[in-house]
Amino acid sequence: MLTEQLFEYPSAAVLIAEIESTYREESRLMARRMASIGDLLSRRTEEAEGVDPDPGYAVITGFARTCAEVGAAMNMAPMAASRLVSQAEALDTRLPMIAELLEDADIDWPSAQLIITRTELVEDHLIEQVDRRLAARLIEWSSWSRRRLINTVDKLVREIDPEAAKERRESAEKRRYVSTTARPDGTAELHGRISATAAAAFEQRISQLAMSVCAKDSRTVDQRRADAVLAVSESRGLPCDCGRPECPARGADDADNGPRTVINVIAGEQTVTGESDDPGYLEGFGVIDADQVREFADTAAAVRLIEPPSVTEEQATRYQPSAEVARWVRLRDLTCRFPGCDRPVARCDIDHTTPFNHANPTAGGLTVPWGLADYCRQHHRLKTFHGGPGGWQDEQLADGTIVWTSPTGRTYRTTPGGAELFPQMRPACAAPAARKASRARDKAARIRRIRNKLREQRPINAALRYRERARRREIDLRKWRNRSRKYLLLFKGGRPSTSPFCPWINEPLEPEELPPDWEPPPPPPPLPDGEPPF
């Protein structure tokens, strides 16, 4: 009983209070982050606008500069960084009252995102009304659902700016896309936004293929629909898996004369031969297991050995890389090499880390694998037009690692994706050179050099000290003699002294500063050993 009381969980009220507290802290942190991004955007925009009043095609806007720095600092893909900067700009310039609610933790970040998205097409001269009226309603609510917030925002938009709702429908049509996302279980998710016409045609074709097999097919309807996507991409029918020779859908897998797709798979040689179960990499998808690698290898049109290409002197001084070098660089990098960017190499440019010298190709920027890297068009332009001092700078190491330096001096390191997955793609380490001397002997030699130098410097330092002491003593003696001459003039009124002990007192005043070239008399020679000094 005592043990149960000692380890009793906190009360539900305490747990709920902690959840609410952390929930509100999250909102406040997001408000601080968005405010900082908005301030950085304003700063970079002012810098970009002050560079050149007519930059032409080479302009790197303040928005692009901010997206690059935010993406690198937060390790975000370019689209995600661009979306975050746009949201920060909207809170800063269009929805300041919503930003205040977020800062006070009266709303959460998902709600703020929803408001930003559904009001992005409202005219600038009308957004202030939406911001004010929406903030007034939210501050009155103690809780709300996502649907309630959507309905409220849409209603205000339709009341204040009905043309924005119409434009949103038209804008959605322009934002058509299709993408795939790799999952860790060997499958992928298909996402997209297409027109209603295309969706209807795709749905009809998928449904026809899914229902074209016989009743003995072992797959569910959902599984057949998923398999039909590949059949559509290869312009063929969906084969039935019943295995019966009399199946009416047996010949449905005959391929049409449609376009073929080239798929690149990277794997170790032992994985392909079945001696290893190390995973491989499917370009455009991600990591796949060894069985999938071997399935691709069995039906592959060609299998190539990947190894660092040899480059001739003529190829190294040519601007365009050879096909072998380009293939190696793309398979080594796999994605854009900018921090946080994950755009595949199929949509990237091969760029020289050190700019190619068109006037004198042998002077630098050689076209060699360790001097090339893949950058998406956005970051390629950023490096080209916003590089150098005050911009982004990159340095490629021998193993393909690229060290980036941001405009604020922060450094980021990106390693090639292919070398991360397949260590054999890294360059071999050089054999260590044999040392000709041991560390103990090196230390002893260093100590001897220091002692010899001190021994040579010792008499020089002693002479300098003797000279400085002699100069100070000579100046003190001159001051004392001048003071004595002044006393003689005071007490005797200019009559000369007849004392035999200081005949120098009748001489004129001496200068109390020594010339730079004044040297003291040489020191007396040392006395023989055993002789007294008197």
Side-chain angles (χ1 to χ4, degrees):
M1 185 65 180
L2 178 60
T3 303
E4 294 178 358
Q5 291 177 353
L6 288 175
F7 294 95
E8 188 178 18
Y9 287 106
S11 64
V14 173
L15 295 175
I16 292 297
E18 182 67 13
I19 293 172
E20 290 179 345
S21 175
T22 54
Y23 179 70
R24 295 177 66 85
E25 289 176 4
E26 182 182 13
S27 299
R28 295 190 181 98
L29 287 174
M30 282 304 304
R32 288 174 53 192
R33 178 187 297 174
M34 303 307 285
S36 299
I37 295 174
D39 293 342
L40 179 63
L41 176 61
S42 300
R43 184 184 186 92
R44 295 309 187 204
T45 301
E46 290 179 0
E47 294 175 357
E49 292 176 350
V51 173
D52 189 352
D54 186 19
Y57 71 95
V59 63
I60 300 296
T61 63
F63 186 87
R65 300 182 185 195
T66 307
C67 291
E69 293 189 75
V70 171
M74 299 180 63
N75 201 33
M76 298 177 69
M79 289 301 296
S82 176
R83 182 166 56 252
L84 191 64
V85 174
S86 298
Q87 292 170 344
E89 183 182 23
L91 288 176
D92 183 39
T93 61
R94 290 169 57 85
L95 300 166
M97 294 187 178
I98 298 299
E100 291 181 5
L101 294 181
L102 183 64
E103 184 178 2
D104 296 335
D106 291 326
I107 62 171
D108 55 9
W109 173 238
S111 299
Q113 283 182 299
L114 189 149
I115 295 170
I116 294 170
T117 302
R118 304 189 82 84
T119 59
E120 61 185 357
L121 299 178
V122 177
E123 294 289 343
D124 291 340
H125 65 282
L126 298 174
I127 190 64
E128 187 273 335
Q129 300 181 42
V130 177
D131 184 31
R132 184 182 68 255
R133 293 173 59 179
L134 187 58
R137 293 195 181 185
L138 287 174
I139 202 66
E140 297 175 353
W141 294 351
S142 58
S143 63
W144 60 88
S145 65
R146 177 180 176 85
R147 174 48 54 186
R148 181 184 180 186
L149 183 58
I150 290 175
N151 294 339
T152 303
V153 175
D154 291 348
K155 185 174 183 296
L156 284 176
V157 170
R158 282 172 171 78
E159 290 176 354
I160 298 174
D161 190 6
E163 291 297 321
K166 179 179 179 182
E167 186 177 355
R168 185 169 63 191
R169 291 194 300 271
E170 297 174 356
S171 177
E173 178 70 14
K174 297 177 182 179
R175 294 198 298 268
R176 301 187 303 274
Y177 77 98
V178 174
S179 65
T180 57
T181 302
R183 292 175 55 85
D185 55 3
T187 63
E189 292 181 351
L190 181 65
H191 308 269
R193 175 184 291 178
I194 58 179
S195 66
T197 304
F202 182 80
E203 175 66 22
Q204 184 177 8
R205 179 59 176 161
I206 292 295
S207 299
Q208 289 176 350
L209 290 174
M211 302 307 296
S212 63
V213 298
C214 74
K216 299 294 184 179
D217 191 280
S218 62
R219 294 167 292 184
T220 64
V221 175
D222 289 339
Q223 292 172 344
R224 294 199 301 268
R225 287 173 60 86
D227 294 342
V229 175
L230 179 60
V232 170
S233 65
E234 295 180 351
S235 301
R236 60 174 175 82
L238 181 65
C240 184
D241 71 346
C242 67
R244 298 183 302 158
E246 67 274 16
C247 176
R250 186 176 50 135
D253 59 343
D254 294 335
D256 298 335
N257 294 324
R260 296 295 181 183
T261 303
V262 177
I263 300 176
N264 292 322
V265 179
I266 310 172
E269 183 178 0
Q270 295 181 342
T271 301
V272 176
T273 59
E275 300 175 12
S276 171
D277 288 332
D278 292 338
Y281 183 86
L282 175 60
E283 185 181 7
F285 174 85
V287 178
I288 57 177
D289 58 38
D291 292 335
Q292 290 176 299
V293 170
R294 288 187 278 270
E295 290 176 7
F296 279 108
D298 291 340
T299 59
V303 177
R304 293 189 179 95
L305 180 64
I306 302 175
E307 57 183 1
S310 58
V311 182
T312 64
E313 183 178 354
E314 188 272 336
Q315 291 174 335
T317 55
R318 192 173 58 195
Y319 179 70
Q320 190 69 25
S322 64
E324 186 179 13
V325 171
R327 180 170 58 251
W328 166 260
V329 173
R330 293 185 185 280
L331 295 179
R332 181 201 66 185
D333 292 344
L334 298 182
T335 62
C336 173
R337 297 299 304 281
F338 191 82
C341 185
D342 59 357
R343 288 193 174 106
V345 292
R347 290 183 282 163
C348 291
D349 305 328
I350 294 181
D351 180 60
H352 290 78
T353 303
T354 302
F356 184 82
N357 192 331
H358 292 273
N360 184 13
T362 60
L366 298 179
T367 308
V368 290
W370 54 90
L372 302 173
D374 287 281
Y375 301 118
C376 65
R377 184 58 54 88
Q378 175 183 344
H379 293 132
H380 189 179
R381 294 185 71 251
L382 181 79
K383 173 181 177 294
T384 303
F385 300 120
H386 188 41
W392 286 91
Q393 303 176 51
D394 61 337
E395 176 189 1
Q396 184 167 177
L397 306 182
D399 62 350
T401 299
I402 296 181
V403 181
W404 286 90
T405 304
S406 72
T408 57
R410 296 179 179 270
T411 57
Y412 308 91
R413 298 170 68 94
T414 64
T415 55
E420 287 289 328
L421 295 175
F422 306 99
Q424 58 268 33
M425 296 184 70
R426 295 194 184 101
C429 296
R435 290 182 56 85
K436 296 182 179 180
S438 67
R439 297 185 183 277
R441 287 196 296 269
D442 289 347
K443 182 178 180 179
R446 184 171 63 254
I447 293 175
R448 284 195 301 270
R449 288 194 300 269
I450 295 174
R451 288 178 176 174
N452 291 335
K453 185 176 180 180
L454 291 175
R455 191 177 299 111
E456 295 173 358
Q457 192 69 26
R458 192 174 291 117
I460 299 174
N461 294 339
L464 289 175
R465 289 194 297 271
Y466 173 77
R467 181 175 181 272
E468 291 301 320
R469 284 196 301 268
R471 287 177 67 90
R472 289 194 298 269
R473 186 167 55 251
E474 177 66 19
I475 291 174
D476 291 341
L477 286 174
R478 290 188 180 189
K479 290 180 178 180
W480 177 75
R481 288 195 292 266
N482 287 340
R483 189 164 54 250
S484 299
R485 293 182 181 109
K486 293 176 182 179
Y487 286 148
L488 176 65
L489 179 63
L490 178 64
F491 292 118
K492 290 193 174 185
R495 288 177 299 172
S497 172
T498 59
S499 172
F501 299 103
C502 51
W504 49 264
I505 199 169
N506 295 320
E507 297 176 0
L509 296 176
E510 300 175 81
E512 297 181 357
E513 291 184 0
L514 298 178
D517 57 350
W518 183 89
E519 293 292 338
L527 296 174
D529 293 342
E531 290 288 336
F534 49 85

